[in-house]
Amino acid sequence: MDTLGSLLHGFAVALTPGNLLYVLLGSLIGTVIGVLPGLGPTASIALLLPATIGMDMVSALIFLAGIYYGAMYGGSTTSILVNIPGEAASVVTCLDGYQMARQGRAGPALGMSAFGSFIGGTIGVLAVMLISPFLAEAALKFGPPEMFALLFFAFTCIGGLTGKSRARGLLMACVGLLLGSVGTDDIHGVDRFVFGTLYLRDGIALVPLAMGLFGMGEILYNVERRESTGAVVGTPKDLLPTRKDWRDSRWPILRGSLVGFGIGILPGGMPAVASLLSYAVEKRVAKEPDRLGRGAIEGVAGPETANNAATAGGFVPLLTLGIPTNSVLALMLAALMLHGVTPGPLLLFKWPDVFWGVIASMYIGNVMLLVLNLPMIGLFVQLLKVPYSILSPLIIMFVLLGAYALNNSVTDVLATILFGLVGYLMKRYGLEPAPLVLAFVLGPMLENNLSKALIMARGAGLSFFFGRPISGTLLTMALVVLAFPLVKRCLAWRGKAAATA
Amino acid sequence: MRADRILGFGALLLALPVGLTSWGYGVGSPKSPGAGFWPFLIAASMAGLGAALALRPDRALHPRADGGSRWRSLGIALATLGIYVLVLEPLGYLLATFLLLVVQLKWVEARSWRTTVLTAGIAAAVSFAIFRVFLKVSLPVGILPLPRSW
């Protein structure tokens, strides 16, 4: 079937009344989650994962994807109106968005952010649709050495893209790998790090880990350190950007789409990184860079477009290679496996309904969000007025409820609380949970492929990996990523030495 | 900088028992890796990164931990969560969650009694209705005389 035919089939799947309802529900819940500070998309998807068990797999994925891109839309509202980002990808939107709101231009800021998100999301989905079939076809030729090399490359990118310190990021990733190795080993059947408990023999479950680190950890951190929230800058009336706003934003939107999609398909490519990079690009190309940070619409249009394009881009490696590039997509992977779908290059051919249904639902979701969000901004502003002191116990309740509902087990609740404590400590000491969760998911795949590749190599060692063109290229790329900071340090040191001479 | 050092030494301390335990599982050889091969590699990487952080901490990072001062609230929140795990099945979801919310709203968040009781009551009842009655998640009923068929 050609791409257009497949897409039409996808629309036929996504436009059934049931799936339309899930697109609507997912995008609405996602927007609310994005608007409310303290509950990011990762924790929310972890929370709602058990609720998707009863759904069929296409609906489940459509629903979860809706939450993800809905959260990206909603996150900007709080950034602009209250100067508090609803989720990490909207941090940079605070810089110019809030300044615009203070200058009485909250409406155009919110409007442009919604339009930018829509355009970025749509261009992203279009690119996903065009690239994925080729990538899946190529990935069919991957054996264990190639998969190992690809996963290893993904792993080396995690540390560099997710935090301020590369060593800290990689160390957190190692902790994630270690947690991922707990339980009965698949190949040898040996129990590892189970300490005689039955619960750990199946391995640590992803949902309590993600909900604890992201949801509970965030709440506990806020309990200890309550900051007064900014004042809501009224309910904006006129949301449509002016002709000049459009003129100023058209190139930032286009650049944001490209930057966002490019970052999104990279391992470790969080939407937050995409929006940050897009802001940096805008600052660099601006004729008057000083305007950015003082209420320039380019500072809202670029990053908001980029984070939605990155959200869409992340679906390329997930759906074609079975590799999640960030913690939200790691949970999507868990959702796929929960429904018996093996993510990887075969997904496109064995479960075309899942692939094309999700892609089509993303088009529909983007339109729905644009149509829904603009008239509903007043309602979201009201939502922001609910005090955090009431919201936070309610979020705790939902996190505990989600943990219990997974297996009807109190042990999962306990595990969520313990990981919550770990998440709180990590946040307090400036450690990123995202590399840990991502490595936790990638770890077992990495081990499995490494073991198979080593057995295939029959003692040939590194020459076996480097002798194969794809694995050799990927491993070389991984080594370049690893060596890059050292080279940068050497160059800086030489530069300094030359300056003092 | 100090936080990096502590983290580095912590990683080194953790890598040692992990490495020894992995060795016990059987590391095997590169030709035929054993069950301990992978965790041993992880332990070695952790030790390397830990040593790097301890010896060369990042000077650009904040030297002190970024924290607040509401220790009492945090202590109460954590203690209540611990007790919640113990009483969830014996008391049932509805009662245990109501009590958890009362403590969180009244003593952690310092809300009025009226707001506390109303919010806790409505939230516990509505979440129970949605998850137990509609989504058929078998939340524990506990000591309350509720129909088991719900």
Side-chain angles (χ1 to χ4, degrees):
Chain A
M1 218 189 303
D2 58 2
T3 307
L4 193 67
S6 305
L7 183 67
L8 286 176
H9 172 67
F11 272 107
V13 172
L15 283 170
T16 56
N19 283 341
L20 265 182
L21 184 71
Y22 283 124
V23 178
L24 178 71
L25 261 180
S27 2
L28 256 184
I29 294 176
T31 312
V32 171
I33 284 159
V35 168
L36 296 175
L39 195 63
T42 311
S44 318
I45 290 179
L47 186 74
L48 288 163
L49 204 56
T52 64
I53 293 172
M55 300 177 188
D56 75 87
M57 59 184 167
V58 184
S59 308
L61 209 64
I62 283 177
F63 176 63
L64 296 174
I67 296 177
Y68 186 27
Y69 52 74
M72 294 298 132
Y73 266 72
S76 55
T77 311
T78 40
S79 296
I80 293 168
L81 294 178
V82 210
N83 202 20
I84 296 173
E87 35 74 47
S90 299
V91 172
V92 280
T93 312
C94 286
L95 299 174
D96 281 280
Y98 188 62
Q99 289 304 323
M100 281 181 74
R102 287 185 61 185
Q103 292 157 17
R105 300 193 68 230
L110 287 166
M112 189 51 84
S113 132
F115 282 117
S117 297
F118 171 74
I119 298 168
T122 310
I123 293 179
V125 174
L126 205 70
V128 171
M129 193 184 82
L130 294 174
I131 291 177
S132 299
F134 293 106
L135 202 60
E137 197 99 21
L140 280 175
K141 298 186 183 91
F142 280 25
E146 286 76 22
M147 268 320 271
F148 166 75
L150 183 66
L151 288 161
F152 184 69
F153 171 60
F155 185 76
T156 53
C157 293
I158 295 174
L161 284 172
T162 46
K164 284 177 202 153
S165 159
R166 192 184 177 75
R168 282 174 160 222
L170 283 173
L171 190 59
M172 284 304 104
C174 280
V175 175
L177 288 180
L178 185 62
L179 292 175
S181 71
V182 170
T184 309
D185 162 40
D186 282 347
I187 296 172
H188 305 88
V190 175
D191 285 344
R192 297 186 303 202
F193 310 109
V194 296
F195 307 107
T197 57
L198 206 60
Y199 179 76
L200 289 176
R201 283 185 75 179
D202 286 339
I204 294 168
L206 175 64
V207 174
L209 179 87
M211 275 203 303
L213 291 180
F214 287 95
M216 188 70 81
E218 178 81 30
I219 296 287
L220 291 175
Y221 182 75
N222 285 325
V223 162
E224 189 222 325
R225 181 195 160 93
R226 181 57 44 83
E227 281 172 352
S228 57
T229 52
V232 179
V233 192
T235 308
K237 301 233 162 23
D238 189 15
L239 292 164
L240 291 180
T242 61
R243 194 170 285 211
K244 183 179 180 302
D245 289 336
W246 275 112
R247 235 188 352 258
D248 290 343
S249 303
R250 60 189 172 178
W251 292 113
I253 285 179
L254 191 68
R255 283 190 288 265
S257 300
L258 295 177
V259 166
F261 186 78
I263 290 289
I265 61 171
L266 279 183
M270 320 269 285
V273 179
S275 56
L276 210 65
L277 195 66
S278 158
Y279 193 81
V281 169
E282 290 316 314
K283 192 128 183 145
R284 182 152 294 185
V285 300
K287 280 185 193 136
E288 300 165 67
D290 287 350
R291 271 185 62 239
L292 273 103
R294 292 183 184 164
I297 199 151
E298 302 94 294
V300 175
E304 279 301 318
T305 309
N307 70 34
N308 278 64
T311 306
F315 281 88
V316 174
L318 180 76
L319 295 177
T320 57
L321 304 168
I323 296 177
T325 52
N326 62 48
S327 43
V328 179
L329 293 169
L331 285 160
M332 297 269 190
L333 184 86
L336 281 170
M337 299 205 289
L338 210 65
H339 286 88
V341 177
T342 319
L346 284 174
L347 186 140
L348 187 62
F349 309 104
K350 273 172 87 174
W351 291 279
D353 278 9
V354 174
F355 182 84
W356 293 105
V358 171
I359 297 287
S361 81
M362 285 161 81
Y363 277 109
I364 301 166
N366 272 315
V367 177
M368 257 186 201
L369 280 166
L370 187 68
V371 176
L372 279 178
N373 268 16
L374 290 180
M376 282 175 76
I377 275 174
L379 188 76
F380 295 138
V381 172
Q382 292 304 316
L383 205 63
L384 276 173
K385 290 180 182 163
V386 178
Y388 193 73
S389 57
I390 288 185
L391 277 180
S392 104
L394 297 182
I395 297 173
I396 290 185
M397 180 189 80
F398 276 114
V399 168
L400 297 173
L401 182 58
Y404 186 85
L406 189 66
N407 295 311
N408 300 332
S409 142
V410 180
T411 321
D412 281 335
V413 180
L414 179 65
T416 306
I417 295 171
L418 290 177
F419 282 122
L421 190 60
V422 174
Y424 155 74
L425 289 171
M426 285 174 68
K427 196 157 173 60
R428 195 177 152 85
Y429 291 99
L431 297 167
E432 283 279 338
L436 191 157
V437 174
L438 211 49
F440 175 80
V441 174
L442 292 178
M445 293 191 242
L446 200 59
E447 180 187 7
N448 198 297
N449 283 295
L450 176 65
S451 299
K452 283 182 188 160
L454 284 173
I455 293 167
M456 273 171 77
R458 295 180 191 179
L462 285 175
S463 60
F464 173 73
F465 289 95
F466 282 97
R468 298 166 76 100
I470 299 174
S471 63
T473 313
L474 286 165
L475 284 177
T476 311
M477 277 159 69
L479 291 179
V480 169
V481 172
L482 278 178
F484 183 68
L486 275 177
V487 176
K488 217 168 88 177
R489 198 174 285 176
C490 280
L491 288 175
W493 180 77
R494 275 184 62 181
K496 215 182 269 179
T500 48
Chain B
M1 195 165 119
R2 195 168 148 252
D4 262 7
R5 284 229 159 92
I6 295 171
L7 190 69
F9 282 117
L12 278 170
L13 270 179
L14 181 65
L16 190 70
V18 170
L20 287 174
T21 315
S22 312
W23 195 266
Y25 295 142
V27 175
S29 67
K31 225 178 190 172
S32 155
F37 182 77
W38 178 244
F40 189 80
L41 268 185
I42 301 171
S45 315
M46 275 176 85
L49 285 163
L53 268 176
L55 295 173
R56 289 189 65 96
D58 193 336
R59 279 161 215 279
L61 288 175
H62 285 295
R64 65 179 173 81
D66 181 23
S69 54
R70 301 198 339 148
W71 289 106
R72 195 176 146 265
S73 303
L74 182 69
I76 297 173
L78 282 172
T80 334
L81 287 171
I83 295 168
Y84 182 78
V85 175
L86 295 175
V87 301
L88 179 61
E89 280 182 338
L91 287 187
Y93 172 81
L94 209 51
L95 197 55
T97 306
F98 174 74
L99 294 175
L100 168 85
L101 288 176
V102 166
V103 177
Q104 298 281 340
L105 285 159
K106 184 67 203 161
W107 286 286
V108 177
E109 304 293 351
R111 305 297 308 189
S112 69
W113 270 114
R114 198 183 125 90
T115 313
T116 299
V117 175
L118 263 177
T119 313
I122 294 171
V126 169
S127 59
F128 183 81
I130 293 174
F131 279 78
R132 167 106 199 178
V133 184
F134 295 112
L135 293 174
K136 302 287 175 210
V137 173
S138 58
L139 293 174
V141 171
I143 54 169
L144 290 180
L146 296 168
R148 305 267 149 182
S149 57
W150 270 11

